[in-house]
Amino acid sequence: MKKLAIYTLAAALLGSTLYAVSAAEKAAEPAQAAAPAEAAKEPPVCFESRKGASEVTQKEVKPGLPNVKCSPTTGAALWYGDPYDGTVPMGKMPGLEKLPAGHAVVKPRSEKLALMPMCGTACHNGVGPNANPPTLPKDKRAKPNPTMEAMVPDLANLQHGRGRIWCMDCHHTTKRNMLVDHFGDPISFDQPQLLCGKCHGDKLRDWRDGIHGKRIGEFTSTGKKRWFTCTECHNPHNVQDGARNRGFAQLQPEPPPQLPKGMKDAKHEKLHPIPH
Amino acid sequence: MTTKETPKACPAEEQPSVCTAPPASADPAASAPKTSRRDFLKAGGMLSMSTLMGTAALMTQSDDAHAAAEWAEHFQKNYRLMTDAEKAEARARLERRYSQEYGKQVTVDTTGPQPGVLMGYALNIRKCIGCRRCVHACVAENNQSRGTKPGEKIEWIQVLRMERGKFEQGKMDHGYPEGLGIQVGGNAYTPAGQVLEGQYHYTPEAVPEQDATYMPIACMQCEKPPCVKVCPVRTTYREADGPVVIDYNWCIGCRMCMGACPYWARRINLTSPVLPKEEMNPVTHYLGNRPRMRGVVEKCHWCLQRTRHGRYPACVEVCPVGARKFGNLLDPESEVSKILERKNVFRLKAELNTFPKFFYFYD
């Protein structure tokens, strides 16, 4: 009888604890449900090619038609309603004379680079002991500088060109919000292909012919297209990113397909039976 | 359409006077109106026909667009045999039905092949990072079923993850079977380069992985498609501008084409498609991404609703690395023509003589 009483007491205690836990969970649920609802009010921003490069904010271009759809899993752009949203004409490019005017458009990147307007005014403003004429480090190595290292980690050991080039090979010496060509003339950040093509000529040719890189819009050879420029896909400061060392940063993949009916996991997908 | 014709109804009350012959016998016993079996069947047949036609007329004009469309679809021709007027009628009917069903203005395009266009596809096998964005873009564009229960989720593109093999000096003398000294060639039983076996359900933290190569597969839009050859109802056929299409209304779901396709490109929807209203893409094509019914085979058609109007397919537009290329094979300036001219190109399972218009390349 005493045993029974103890069991009853234990059961009651357990029951009350469970009730309390479930009540706490129930209380927490509405709070969790409310959070995504608040987040949904703000238009989602999805990244286009690689994370941290070009981003696009979802909006309606026509009633019921969004300019872009974002992946709920990875936040990547999954579908384009309007491929030309927010683009400007690319400008002149040798070898594209046959293309009708305005049919090659790009998304200006200089607006997206938040710190760029400050480069030429805040620090590299032509004022200071080394400014006129500009004196550059003789060893052509970037000096440790917390501001720059915050933006470009691993600055002192930059691995573009396997460590054989440094900042001023790409950035203009005096106009810091511009890139530089072989003649020392400035190049806009919106046309990085003019800079990259200096060394990667074969890739520039392929890019011009549509073999390398990404384009969206009309597929006909004279159709209107949005061209993705070099830096929208590649990070020039860290081109060898990723475990595969292949020039494109690693990404989180989208979810896998549904498993075949009756299968609980994908263990049936064996690798090659003979190890190699 | 036959269903729109208003039949000469033979109302039930007037059946005896109109539809039966007067008595021929002088016998008063036999003078009462008497119907022969033939007359009875004739009357009955006309009655049922009139009911049927009347219902048809009612259904086509009913407010329920779904019922009207379904009824009319039972009597429509194979899409290839339809006249332009019949196509327009089918289009209007479907637009009405889908708009009502999905609560938005749905358009069903019937644009045919454009002159001077032969679509071609190219994929850079070394660039693909296996991120599966193309797969999900395809689902968003083409109104596939996207339920969570087994068999409800349909994807047309598969991305295959494959191990990388390599030739090694130490393996040069490896043969099979071991110990018998039978030399079958170095590395003969290990993958050297690519073999078509791998994983579809890989889920790493990040792609691309160090020792993997990815191979996306979808419909190859063959020049000699085995699926077209075996279709018993001739519902699937090759369009003049390249893609192999399906007239979903004539598909009987026999899955012969699925068996014949060497590229695992076709899917069948055995459950009622799960397509949320808000996710439905309202820009559709009759032979392309219009919502499919249960029990029909479906597959990639290179986004006909886009490509017939010059737009890139959805998978091309979202590929983050630009591995996917699309163009007009008849235009020497197009991307695909330049790739065929300049790059190392191969076609999958070329030994089967299906002549795909989908080219894999590498540089």
Side-chain angles (χ1 to χ4, degrees), chain A residues 78-80 216, chain B residues 121 133-134 136-142 157 302-303 305-307 311-319 324:
Chain A
L78 261 195
W79 185 86
Y80 287 95
I216 62 178
Chain B
Y121 208 117
R133 229 188 266 185
C134 47
H136 292 260
C138 177
V139 172
E141 169 72 21
N142 288 310
I157 305 175
W302 282 350
C303 290
Q305 67 283 356
R306 287 165 160 252
T307 49
R311 271 287 294 279
Y312 279 115
C315 50
V316 174
E317 289 205 334
V318 297
C319 179
R324 291 174 168 267

Side-chain angles (χ1 to χ4, degrees), chain B residues 200-249:
Chain B
Y200 291 104
H201 299 273
Y202 61 90
T203 47
E205 290 272 306
V207 287
E209 295 155 274
Q210 183 73 46
D211 296 320
T213 296
Y214 304 92
M215 183 142 196
I217 306 170
C219 180
M220 301 281 154
Q221 320 291 359
C222 308
E223 202 63 34
K224 286 187 168 182
C227 52
V228 168
K229 219 186 252 182
V230 299
C231 179
V233 286
R234 301 197 176 183
T235 186
T236 181
Y237 59 99
R238 201 176 74 81
E239 287 270 277
D241 57 353
V244 175
V245 295
I246 303 169
D247 178 2
Y248 305 114
N249 281 95

Side-chain angles (χ1 to χ4, degrees), chain B residues 293-314:
Chain B
M293 47 295 254
R294 179 180 181 164
V296 297
V297 171
E298 54 184 67
K299 68 166 196 63
C300 162
H301 44 77
W302 282 350
C303 290
L304 275 190
Q305 67 283 356
R306 287 165 160 252
T307 49
R308 285 271 161 90
H309 298 283
R311 271 287 294 279
Y312 279 115

Side-chain angles (χ1 to χ4, degrees), chain B residues 256-287:
Chain B
M256 294 277 279
C257 52
M258 290 173 73
C261 176
Y263 304 107
W264 319 302
R266 289 177 167 252
R267 308 277 180 277
I268 187 161
N269 207 338
L270 282 176
T271 59
S272 294
V274 182
L275 181 57
K277 282 183 182 177
E278 64 280 2
E279 286 180 39
M280 190 252 176
N281 179 13
V283 182
T284 71
H285 193 282
Y286 191 94
L287 297 169

Side-chain angles (χ1 to χ4, degrees), chain A residues 202-221:
Chain A
D202 57 333
K203 291 287 173 286
L204 178 71
R205 188 183 71 152
D206 278 357
W207 179 80
R208 189 193 62 204
D209 293 338
I211 299 175
H212 183 101
K214 175 176 169 176
R215 293 175 183 186
I216 62 178
E218 292 170 12
F219 74 78
T220 49
S221 56

Side-chain angles (χ1 to χ4, degrees), chain A residues 48-49 78-79 206 209-210 213-214 217-219 221 225 243-244 250-251 254-255 258 269 272 274 276, chain B residues 131-133 136-137 141 149 153 197 200-201 207-210 310 312 317-320 325 331 342-343:
Chain A
E48 290 195 283
S49 188
L78 261 195
W79 185 86
D206 278 357
D209 293 338
K214 175 176 169 176
E218 292 170 12
F219 74 78
S221 56
K225 293 180 179 70
R244 253 178 90 196
Q250 285 187 306
L251 289 175
E254 299 285 333
Q258 204 169 35
E269 289 186 335
H272 198 275
I274 302 171
H276 58 280
Chain B
C131 67
R132 293 204 194 95
R133 229 188 266 185
H136 292 260
E141 169 72 21
K149 288 181 199 153
K153 193 172 166 190
E197 54 187 42
Y200 291 104
H201 299 273
V207 287
E209 295 155 274
Q210 183 73 46
Y312 279 115
E317 289 205 334
V318 297
C319 179
K325 298 286 165 198
D331 177 7
R342 211 180 278 170
K343 300 290 177 187

